[in-house]
Structures are given as C-alpha cells and as structure tokens.
Amino acid sequence: MISLRNVEKFFEHGPSKTFVLRRINADIKEGEFVSIMGPSGAGKSTLLHLIGMHDSAWTGEYFFLDQPVHKLNKKDRNEIYKKYFGFVFQSYHLLDSLTVAENLDIPLSYRNVKKGEREAMVGDMLDKFNMVGKKDLFPNQLSGGQQQLVAIARAIIASPKVILADEPTGNLHSSQAKEIMEVFKKLNEEGTTIIQVTHSEANAAYSHRVIKIVDGWIQD
C-alpha cells in the first residue's frame, strides 16, 4: 500500500545540509497497524507528515496504492490525502469556535456529501462514540479524552483507508489512553491501516510491528 524508497529530507544552511531523514526504505501493507518509535528529534513525526503528504520538501520515491506520489503535483497529492487519509494529532486540532457536531462535519464538507447524508453520518459517529449528548458542546467544554475521541471521530468519519496518529495519547492519562488505543485496535480489526508515532511501549503493543528511527535512520 505504502512504499518508500531512499526517501531523504534535509535543510540547507549555505553549503551544508542538516538531514532529518536518511535513506528511508519502508513498506506498509494494507490493514497493518504500525508504530514508529525513537527518541525525541529522531524524525518520527517528520516521517509521519511525509507519509500523510503534508510535506512535499523531500527527495526519493513514495508510492501509494501504486501511484508515484513523488511525481504528483500539490493538487493531486491533496486529492489523495482527502480521499484516503485521516490524521489524529496529539493536541486534537479541533476548531474551538465550532461544536462537536460541526467539527465532525468538516471532512464531509470537503467531499461534496449532501447535507442530509452528512447529518446522518455525523449522527452515526456521535452514536458510535457515545457522544450524542455532547454534540452541541464546544471543545473547551470537553475533557482531554473526550476531545481526542472527537478528533478520532473526525478523522474516520469519511472512512479513510489510512489513519495517521501523532502521539495520539500524549496529553491523556492512562485510562483515557487505553480507551483511545482500544478504538484504534477496533478500527484496525475492521480493516483500517493505522500508523502511529508513539513513545509509549503500551501503545506500541497494540501494533503488529515497530519501525525504529534514530537520528533520521531506520534501525533494523
């Protein structure tokens, strides 16, 4: 599903280069649950954002469902991202001025889904996450765990093939973290490919395998 070949990212300072990722070769199959681990500053989040097509300033080859991402323009990459990917951030990234229901509606509004269908899909998602009673609340009226559940619901409402999660439980206490990971486990069992960046061995235990990065290099 995802294939990276000799992918590198660096910043230039005059004649010198500072590498963030070095000669990354990786394959992720459809339906896998993969954790990316390593020390702070190792390049984990950089790799995740590269896979999620948020970052185009890199060299090498990236194939997604056999499409050569490295040859696509920004517009075509955005179309692939919107169609196939959902992203969950450590800091939730909910829009504070919108209610829970309105936050969930945003990804659907990008996809030309009719209003009636969107309302039904938002309703189903609220029901799935036991948040029907919170649909008219704003993010600052929710606990951290509830905000992250809304963020996950928003990421999956349009049925992405891939969920990318960057330290999804980093701001949560252990019981909330376990609840979030159980949601990911269920989604993966239903066929969603999940790639998470984590420092937590407990979170990594949910995945099928771990990719370790140190100083921008994948460690075998």
Side-chain angles (χ1 to χ4, degrees):
M1 182 181 215
I2 291 170
S3 183
L4 304 176
R5 290 290 169 269
N6 208 30
V7 167
E8 299 197 319
K9 181 172 177 64
F10 55 83
F11 297 101
E12 293 188 84
H13 315 276
S16 63
K17 292 178 181 177
T18 301
F19 279 88
V20 187
L21 295 172
R22 297 297 311 262
R23 296 181 201 161
I24 298 294
N25 292 293
D27 293 290
I28 295 168
K29 298 187 183 76
E30 193 161 351
E32 273 202 291
F33 190 155
V34 176
S35 292
I36 301 173
M37 300 188 79
S40 294
K44 305 183 298 297
S45 293
T46 302
L47 178 58
L48 195 73
H49 283 275
L50 191 155
I51 291 170
M53 303 182 201
H54 290 172
D55 183 353
S56 56
W58 45 271
T59 61
E61 296 183 328
Y62 171 9
F63 295 92
F64 178 75
L65 294 175
D66 296 327
Q67 292 196 67
V69 175
H70 51 284
K71 292 182 179 176
L72 300 179
N73 61 33
K74 187 175 181 181
K75 181 174 177 288
D76 290 340
R77 287 185 189 187
N78 278 342
E79 287 303 313
I80 290 176
Y81 173 77
K82 285 193 288 188
K83 185 174 181 183
Y84 293 107
F85 287 85
F87 215 113
V88 180
F89 302 89
Q90 179 176 350
S91 52
Y92 321 135
H93 283 221
L94 299 176
L95 294 174
D96 292 334
S97 60
L98 300 182
T99 64
V100 167
E102 289 167 341
N103 266 284
L104 295 185
D105 184 61
I106 288 173
L108 301 176
S109 67
Y110 294 151
R111 298 183 184 220
N112 305 318
V113 182
K114 289 182 182 147
K115 190 166 187 289
E117 284 179 58
R118 279 161 42 189
E119 287 172 357
M121 291 167 79
V122 168
D124 286 346
M125 202 53 62
L126 289 166
D127 192 35
K128 180 173 184 168
F129 284 88
N130 297 318
M131 297 193 111
V132 174
K134 296 183 173 61
K135 70 184 177 67
D136 296 321
L137 297 182
F138 292 92
N140 64 5
Q141 296 173 293
L142 304 175
S143 70
Q146 289 167 341
Q147 288 187 62
Q148 192 60 299
L149 282 174
V150 175
I152 292 171
R154 184 185 58 184
I156 68 172
I157 194 165
S159 302
K161 280 187 172 292
V162 185
I163 289 178
L164 304 174
D166 194 358
E167 296 283 1
T169 66
N171 291 332
L172 307 178
H173 59 66
S174 56
S175 64
Q176 290 175 322
K178 188 172 189 300
E179 183 182 5
I180 298 299
M181 293 312 301
E182 289 293 334
V183 170
F184 282 143
K185 180 183 177 187
K186 189 164 187 297
L187 288 167
N188 180 245
E189 287 168 351
E190 292 167 358
T192 307
T193 305
I194 298 179
I195 307 169
Q196 70 166 347
V197 163
T198 184
H199 280 105
S200 163
E201 294 287 351
N203 287 6
Y206 282 86
S207 58
H208 301 145
R209 65 188 173 99
V210 172
I211 294 174
K212 280 210 163 146
I213 294 190
V214 178
D215 296 331
W217 297 83
I218 287 182
Q219 304 292 298
D220 294 328

